Amino acid sequence: MRRSTQAHIACLFWLASLCNTPALAELVTLQLKPGLTARAEYQRGAAEKPAVLILHGFLQTYTFPTVHNLANGLARAGYSVLTPTLSLGVTHRDRSLPCEAVHTHTVEGNRRELDAWLAWLRARGHQRVVLIGHSLGSAELLLYLHAHRPRDVTRFIAVSLVESRPFEGKVDNTAFVRAQREKLSRGDKRPEAYPLSFCKRFVAPPQPFISYLSITPERLLQAARTLRIPALFIMGGGDNRLGEGWIERLQRTGQRVAVIPGANHFLDGEHEFDLLDLVLEALKAAA
Amino acid sequence: MRRYPLRIEQLNRLFLLLGLSLLAGLGLYAHLSLERVAGVKRQEEAAMAQREIAAAVAALEQRLKAIAQQLAAWDETRQHLANPEYYVLWRDGRVRETGLVPASMQVALYRPNGRILARDPQWAMPEALPDTGAGRARLQTAQGRTLLYYVFPVRVHADVEIVLGHAVLRLDPIAELRRHGPYRFVNADSLYLNAPDGTRLDVADLSRHIAFDPLPNPALDALLAEARGLTMVAIALALLLLLFVMRLQRLLLTRPLRRLTADIAALRDAPTSDVAPIGAQPYRLLELEQLKQAFADYRQRLNALLREMRHTSDRFYRQARQDGLTGVHNRRAFDEDRQQLEQDKRVSRCVLLLFDCDHFKAINDTYGHPVGDAVIRGLAQCLTQALRADDRLYRLGGDEFATLMPGAEIDTALKVAERCLEQVQRHDFRQYGVHEPISISIGLAHGVAPIDLIELHKQADLAMYAAKQPGHAKIVVYDDALGDLASLVHNRDVSAVYEAIRQPALIAFRYQPVVSLPALQREYVEALCRIEYDGQVIGPAAIFAIVQARRLDVEFDLAVIRAIRRDLAAGLPELRQGVSINLSGPGVVSDKVIQALIELKGDHPACKIVVEITETALITQLAVATANIERLRQAGCQVALDDFGSGYSSLRYLVNMPVDMVKFDMALIHLLIKGDPRQALLVEDIAEIVVTAGYALVAEGVENETLLAKVKALGFGYAQGYHLDALQERSQPDAIATA
């Protein structure tokens, strides 16, 4: 099948998915602190099924197609799905933050929001939560799980886990991180631009850099190896955002790695269904 | 209003004036139209400019709304409103990087309490949120400019009414509007805000506070200028064309027409002169050329006609002035030449000669008109031959000729007259069948300047008449002694004679008794006629001079007979014995006269009527006269030969005509006592012959007793005269009729 045809079919499905948004999807907000409220979309499903929290990628929102479509697919499958949008310091954020914005958010902050959302789920009676993350979101979830080990999280699915290396091959951030620490120690909070993730110019004061640059491939692999809950790493065979050999390194962690051949980083198009199938399969196993 | 024909020049000027007026009118109309169009266009452009400004303001408002919406929806706006730590960085960096807010605008965030998040020393944003009232904007003067502050809230989310704070966009509205251009109708440089500082308004109302100048419309201006230029060019061209046409018309039409008109006028004034050819060069207009040719042809024909008419006129003139019978000049020519001569100041003297054929009427009556005409032609020929080469012979009428000799001396004229007389005398008139000698009488009159030819004519007429008198020279030069003959030409006497002929009542008689000798008994009376006219009495001498001169013999005889009839009818006592009537020579041969006498006798058979035929009358038709006398005698009249011895051919008449009585002229009677003895003896012998021949003899002019005795002695049977009149009066006072 020609790629253009595939794309057209994918669009049709995507449109269909929009049209088929479950009727129970609701926009929920969570005040994180005065003046800062986060938003999420919640689709309540069957009580017996675990709730799914899907976290978007770096600077994205829950409306990101990979996340949103997966959420809808899971909701249709009867799962309660919560797809929050990390505030990233912006109240009621519902758009992706540009790389050039002055980013004041940190991984730590994001974790606190995760805690809040998990608490929110618990408050809604969800005892079991499956965490699914896309891209850097999956990285943050993996490290969150490695750091916090919440008991109601029963499974972790990472989709397109990135190794969080700087965009376009810059690997060693040590010096930069060191410089940022020095700035921070000086009290110099002036933001500066530095490549981070897919951002060529990620503008942030020292602390966000220090925070996000602490996500290293090594830490991710270590976290994967030591993960105590079932996990599934779903990777696109055609994901060009990964470093060379990353999938193999993940596989070597002993975790289950499902590679969807030909899928890109976003697993869109026809691979969307592959992703959904894999996730549903994983969820069934978690049930 | 009186109308009069226009001259073509006036028409040309009128046309030029009309053309210029039309051009001026068109130019003015074009100018006014252009101005009107320009005005309308400018009004439209002003309206368009106003709409343009309004559209620019609306666009500005939309931009501001869009910017505000984007800013308000921008996560980073909310981010920094919530955490202003990096607000300045965001304001000065991110905002500019994203281009969300144009560089020409400034943005500031304000806390919910209306305080600015961070001071803005560069742009001097107000530290407090500007009060916009009900609107969204406020005009405020800052840094020497009127700036617009656009205020809008920043909510936590579009779906959430919680206001995080406000954002203010500051801009120079005029600069923004200018930047909105390019304007088609608005002069962006002229834009300025006409609003007080602190005006609160909606951006949409901004246009009400904006003043501007409309953009000049170079295209329209150029078009107008072009149109004006074209109009001027068109008018100039039209003017040139008009002038050219006028010039052309002048060359092709006006001048030729005027030339043609002048030529026609010249021809009118001098129709027979050789007018210069009409336009030697051909006219450029075919029609004019044809007209010229036609006129030239017409003139040629006219000239030819004039020449022919002139020739004919000359011929008629000559014919009108030529006597048809003789070929000499006629009376008309004489009158014209006479008038011309009188007006010719160069003529200092002139002689007029009148020629008259003696007894022409008798000749005409005797031989007939053809012979009379031949005699006239012969006379004309003789006179023409006798006159000088330059002399003109005029036939005045009948047998009367004349010639004028301007500048001639009387002696010269006399010589010419004699030559004429001789020529006539030498001419053989017998060739025409005339047996009697033809003679002419010539009267001359001469005068000096100022020449009065009418007077000379009268004088020559008198002279000619004198020349006709028996015993007078045939050539008579007028002198004052001939004045007595003036009655011949006296108008009054002539009129009287004519009137008496018409009205015999004017004729009166002195009845002179003719008494018998020796008894001295009245036998009859002789009617001596006179005319009573206009209170005057005209005597026999004047009467008969006129009668003979005017050849009224027959007419006057008839008038006398009618007058005698009148008196006889009236029973005049003096006519009881009878009356003698003098008859003229023409009367003797006139059938009318003879018949009238016969009738008179017939009406008065008891009255003795004696017809006296005067010997002085030329009787050319003796046979006729003899026959008439016989008729009279047969009718009972007696015929007497009057004035025996004083006239023509006395014995011949006595021999040929059967008269009853012979009346000796008083001249003969007077010779009995006044003449020499031989004359007396001759008279006595003649008397004896006549008596012996058996004729009754009457002595006229017995003026005294001696004569009476003498005539008695000679055997005269009768006598008359003054002496006897007196005797009769004493003896018979009622016997003499007085006039």
Side-chain angles (χ1 to χ4, degrees):
Chain A
M1 187 181 291
R2 293 174 64 182
R3 288 176 69 84
S4 61
T5 307
Q6 292 174 356
H8 290 153
I9 294 172
C11 288
L12 284 173
F13 276 112
W14 181 74
L15 287 172
S17 69
L18 291 178
C19 296
N20 290 331
T21 302
L24 294 177
E26 60 178 305
L27 179 67
V28 297
T29 58
L30 178 62
Q31 186 177 19
L32 300 171
K33 62 179 180 180
L36 183 64
T37 301
R39 292 157 54 96
E41 187 177 76
Y42 175 68
Q43 299 180 69
R44 191 173 183 85
E48 65 277 12
K49 290 184 176 180
V52 180
L53 187 151
I54 306 176
L55 185 64
H56 55 77
F58 188 54
L59 305 180
Q60 304 302 319
T61 67
Y62 69 75
T63 61
F64 192 78
T66 306
V67 169
H68 195 258
N69 294 337
L70 181 60
N72 290 337
L74 292 176
R76 282 194 295 273
Y79 289 89
S80 299
V81 182
L82 177 68
T83 51
T85 293
L86 293 175
S87 69
L88 303 183
V90 178
T91 187
H92 293 82
R93 189 175 77 88
D94 60 356
R95 297 177 190 177
S96 61
L97 266 184
C99 297
E100 295 80 6
V102 179
H103 297 273
T104 59
H105 52 91
T106 61
V107 174
E108 291 73 21
N110 296 341
R111 286 179 186 169
R112 284 193 289 275
E113 283 190 39
L114 276 173
D115 283 337
W117 284 117
L118 285 173
W120 188 87
L121 279 173
R122 288 189 212 100
R124 298 289 182 288
H126 296 288
Q127 301 301 316
R128 292 179 296 163
V129 177
V130 177
L131 294 181
I132 301 177
H134 175 251
S135 188
L136 190 64
S138 63
E140 286 191 78
L141 285 178
L142 178 60
L143 291 177
Y144 171 75
L145 287 173
H146 177 71
H148 294 280
R149 302 177 190 276
R151 283 185 290 177
D152 46 358
V153 177
T154 60
R155 186 175 286 272
F156 170 67
I157 299 174
V159 178
S160 298
L161 175 70
V162 290
E163 56 201 294
S164 189
R165 61 185 172 81
F167 193 69
E168 290 184 355
K170 189 169 185 180
V171 177
D172 191 0
N173 300 314
T174 307
F176 178 71
V177 171
R178 185 166 55 250
Q180 296 303 307
R181 291 185 191 282
E182 286 172 2
K183 278 178 67 177
L184 187 61
S185 66
R186 290 196 303 271
D188 182 358
K189 293 184 179 180
R190 289 176 297 171
E192 62 180 278
Y194 190 77
L196 181 67
S197 183
F198 57 81
C199 295
K200 289 181 182 179
R201 290 182 77 253
F202 185 83
V203 179
Q207 194 154 1
F209 277 122
I210 296 169
S211 175
Y212 282 103
L213 288 174
S214 68
I215 303 175
T216 63
E218 292 72 26
R219 284 187 67 201
L220 291 175
L221 291 172
Q222 177 62 24
R225 277 195 291 271
T226 60
L227 197 61
R228 304 272 176 125
I229 55 176
L232 173 61
F233 291 82
I234 302 174
M235 307 297 285
D239 191 348
N240 57 4
R241 292 189 178 217
L242 302 177
E244 190 171 340
W246 172 248
I247 295 177
E248 289 76 17
R249 292 170 73 182
L250 279 176
Q251 290 173 336
R252 283 200 288 274
T253 61
Q255 291 292 345
R256 181 181 172 209
V257 177
V259 178
I260 302 174
N264 58 17
H265 185 69
F266 308 102
L267 297 122
D268 54 9
E270 64 195 82
H271 304 294
E272 173 188 330
F273 303 101
D274 298 328
L275 172 63
L276 180 62
D277 290 340
L278 287 171
V279 171
L280 284 173
E281 181 185 346
L283 290 177
K284 281 180 184 175
Chain B
M1 182 174 73
R2 181 183 173 198
R3 291 185 175 182
Y4 56 90
L6 289 174
R7 298 169 66 85
I8 193 166
E9 275 297 329
Q10 292 174 324
L11 203 60
N12 286 347
R13 290 196 195 101
L14 185 65
F15 177 74
L16 182 63
L17 188 62
L18 283 176
L20 290 174
S21 300
L22 184 64
L23 284 176
L26 282 174
L28 184 63
Y29 177 74
H31 172 73
L32 292 176
S33 295
L34 286 172
E35 289 302 317
R36 182 176 54 81
V37 168
V40 168
K41 194 63 182 173
R42 289 200 173 87
Q43 282 179 356
E44 288 178 356
E45 288 180 352
M48 294 296 291
Q50 198 63 46
R51 284 195 288 273
E52 206 171 37
I53 284 296
V57 168
L60 178 62
E61 185 189 28
Q62 291 303 316
R63 276 183 65 206
L64 289 175
K65 282 183 179 176
I67 294 170
Q69 198 171 7
Q70 287 177 330
L71 268 176
W74 197 15
D75 289 341
E76 293 181 49
T77 306
R78 296 196 305 276
Q79 173 188 352
H80 296 286
L81 262 175
N83 182 10
E85 182 177 4
Y86 297 103
Y87 160 72
V88 174
L89 192 66
W90 170 85
R91 182 195 67 194
D92 298 342
R94 279 296 292 159
V95 170
R96 298 302 171 202
E97 283 173 16
T98 59
L100 203 62
V101 175
S104 59
M105 300 183 191
Q106 296 78 45
V107 65
L109 296 178
Y110 290 78
R111 294 189 174 85
N113 62 3
R115 306 301 302 177
I116 195 168
L117 279 184
R119 298 179 68 184
D120 187 350
Q122 180 183 1
W123 298 107
M125 294 292 279
E127 293 192 8
L129 187 69
D131 178 18
T132 62
R136 277 283 185 93
R138 181 185 177 94
L139 293 172
Q140 207 148 319
T141 302
Q143 299 175 335
R145 298 178 296 166
T146 302
L147 303 173
L148 180 102
Y149 292 88
Y150 186 75
V151 179
F152 56 96
V154 179
R155 295 184 176 84
V156 296
H157 194 267
D159 300 335
V160 181
E161 287 299 320
I162 300 172
V163 175
L164 272 177
H166 288 85
V168 174
L169 283 173
R170 191 183 81 161
L171 61 144
D172 183 346
I174 294 301
E176 290 301 319
L177 290 175
R178 285 184 182 147
R179 219 170 280 114
H180 177 74
Y183 292 94
R184 281 191 61 194
F185 303 100
V186 177
N187 182 1
D189 293 336
S190 70
L191 288 168
Y192 72 95
L193 268 175
N194 187 20
D197 186 27
T199 301
R200 297 177 292 181
L201 73 164
D202 279 325
V203 176
D205 299 332
L206 195 60
S207 57
R208 288 192 289 124
H209 300 282
I210 293 176
F212 62 93
D213 295 331
L215 266 178
N217 190 339
L220 177 63
D221 293 341
L223 186 64
L224 288 174
E226 191 70 21
R228 289 193 189 97
L230 283 175
T231 304
M232 294 303 295
V233 169
I235 291 175
L237 287 177
L239 182 63
L240 284 174
L241 183 64
L242 180 66
L243 292 174
F244 176 71
V245 167
M246 294 299 295
R247 177 71 180 161
L248 206 64
Q249 189 246 19
R250 188 182 180 81
L251 283 174
L252 297 181
L253 197 62
T254 304
R255 278 189 189 169
L257 276 176
R258 289 174 71 182
R259 234 184 316 164
L260 202 59
T261 306
D263 287 338
I264 293 172
L267 184 65
R268 177 195 62 200
D269 295 338
T272 59
S273 69
D274 290 331
V275 181
I278 302 170
Q281 293 182 354
Y283 293 155
R284 293 185 178 84
L285 281 183
L286 178 63
E287 288 77 5
L288 276 181
E289 181 63 20
Q290 289 175 344
L291 180 64
K292 182 192 80 174
Q293 290 300 329
F295 182 66
D297 294 342
Y298 167 75
R299 194 189 64 178
Q300 282 181 357
R301 289 183 204 165
L302 184 64
N303 282 343
L305 183 63
L306 285 174
R307 282 194 294 274
E308 186 179 337
M309 286 176 64
R310 198 179 300 128
H311 177 70
T312 304
S313 172
D314 289 344
R315 185 161 53 88
F316 287 158
Y317 182 84
R318 287 193 299 273
Q319 287 178 353
R321 285 153 187 76
Q322 190 177 46
D323 179 54
L325 179 63
T326 62
V328 302
H329 300 283
N330 60 8
R331 183 58 187 251
R332 175 185 293 230
F334 173 76
D335 289 335
E336 290 179 358
D337 290 348
R338 173 177 57 77
Q339 290 173 2
Q340 192 174 356
L341 198 61
E342 286 177 340
Q343 294 168 1
D344 193 348
K345 305 300 179 187
R346 300 170 298 177
V347 178
S348 60
R349 61 169 64 84
C350 183
V351 182
L352 170 66
L353 287 79
L354 288 180
F355 309 89
D356 192 275
C357 179
D358 297 331
H359 308 293
F360 177 75
K361 188 172 185 309
I363 294 171
N364 212 29
D365 293 341
T366 303
Y367 296 101
H369 289 288
V371 175
D373 292 344
V375 170
I376 294 298
R377 281 197 293 272
L379 284 174
Q381 181 185 346
C382 294
L383 294 175
T384 302
Q385 290 171 351
L387 289 173
R388 299 174 302 177
D390 294 337
D391 293 333
R392 283 189 172 183
L393 181 64
Y394 305 91
R395 184 185 173 202
L396 300 184
D399 60 337
E400 187 175 354
F401 293 84
T403 188
L404 290 166
M405 295 185 177
E409 298 285 346
I410 188 60
D411 292 336
T412 305
L414 275 171
K415 290 178 182 173
V416 172
E418 288 170 0
R419 203 160 63 203
C420 291
L421 196 64
E422 290 169 4
Q423 191 72 25
V424 171
Q425 288 171 349
R426 282 200 298 269
H427 191 73
D428 187 7
F429 287 91
R430 289 177 297 177
Q431 61 182 307
Y432 309 125
V434 178
H435 302 294
E436 285 74 22
I438 302 298
S439 66
I440 58 174
S441 299
I442 304 175
L444 287 80
H446 62 103
V448 296
I451 307 294
D452 185 352
L453 284 172
I454 293 178
E455 186 61 29
L456 284 185
H457 195 166
K458 292 179 184 177
Q459 294 174 358
D461 206 15
L462 288 173
M464 184 182 68
Y465 181 74
K468 283 186 173 300
Q469 300 307 311
H472 215 288
K474 301 311 292 180
I475 300 175
V476 174
V477 179
Y478 176 84
D479 56 33
D480 294 336
L482 296 175
D484 292 339
L485 298 175
S487 63
L488 285 174
V489 294
H490 199 290
N491 286 337
R492 182 181 65 86
D493 294 344
V494 171
S495 299
V497 169
Y498 277 100
E499 198 62 24
I501 289 171
R502 197 176 67 85
Q503 300 181 49
L506 296 177
I507 300 175
F509 299 99
R510 188 175 85 79
Y511 291 108
Q512 187 177 58
V514 176
V515 300
S516 62
L517 294 177
L520 297 178
Q521 294 292 322
R522 180 182 296 188
E523 286 293 319
Y524 61 91
V525 294
E526 182 179 356
L528 301 175
C529 68
R530 61 206 64 206
I531 298 174
E532 297 175 348
Y533 179 77
D534 198 23
Q536 301 288 327
V537 175
I538 303 169
I543 291 173
F544 289 109
I546 294 170
V547 169
Q548 288 177 7
R550 303 288 171 164
R551 294 176 177 81
L552 301 171
D553 308 76
V554 170
E555 291 80 4
F556 194 77
D557 286 347
L558 290 172
V560 167
I561 294 170
R562 289 197 294 271
I564 295 293
R565 176 186 285 280
R566 175 200 67 210
D567 288 349
L568 285 174
L572 293 180
E574 54 269 41
L575 298 180
R576 282 199 301 268
Q577 288 81 18
V579 62
S580 70
I581 305 171
N582 287 283
L583 207 64
S584 66
V588 171
V589 299
S590 168
D591 186 67
K592 283 186 181 177
V593 172
I594 299 303
Q595 188 61 35
L597 286 170
I598 292 173
E599 290 173 359
L600 180 64
K601 179 62 180 175
D603 293 337
H604 302 279
C607 181
K608 182 177 185 178
I609 294 179
V610 180
V611 178
E612 296 188 12
I613 301 172
T614 180
E615 190 194 70
T616 58
L618 172 62
I619 301 174
T620 57
Q621 302 176 61
L622 284 178
V624 175
T626 302
N628 287 339
I629 290 171
E630 194 58 43
R631 289 170 62 192
L632 288 172
R633 294 178 73 211
Q634 288 179 1
C637 299
Q638 291 185 354
V639 179
L641 184 62
D642 194 12
D643 295 333
F644 181 84
S646 66
Y648 302 95
S649 305
S650 302
L651 288 177
R652 177 164 165 255
Y653 287 174
L654 192 58
V655 169
N656 288 283
M657 295 191 292
V659 297
D660 299 301
M661 290 182 282
V662 176
K663 298 179 73 174
F664 269 42
D665 187 67
M666 67 170 64
L668 283 182
I669 298 299
H670 290 175
L671 288 177
L672 291 174
I673 60 175
K674 291 182 181 178
D676 65 32
R678 290 181 295 175
Q679 289 176 327
L681 186 60
L682 189 59
V683 173
E684 291 173 358
D685 289 339
I686 294 173
E688 185 179 355
I689 294 171
V690 172
V691 169
T692 304
Y695 295 97
L697 206 58
V698 180
E700 292 182 326
V702 176
E703 298 175 353
N704 50 51
E705 188 61 33
T706 303
L707 272 175
L708 180 60
K710 195 70 177 178
V711 298
K712 281 182 181 177
L714 289 175
F716 280 78
Y718 306 92
Q720 67 183 99
Y722 289 115
H723 181 65
L724 296 172
D725 294 340
L727 289 179
Q728 287 293 310
E729 284 182 5
R730 284 195 294 271
S731 63
Q732 298 176 10
D734 58 340
I736 298 175
T738 58

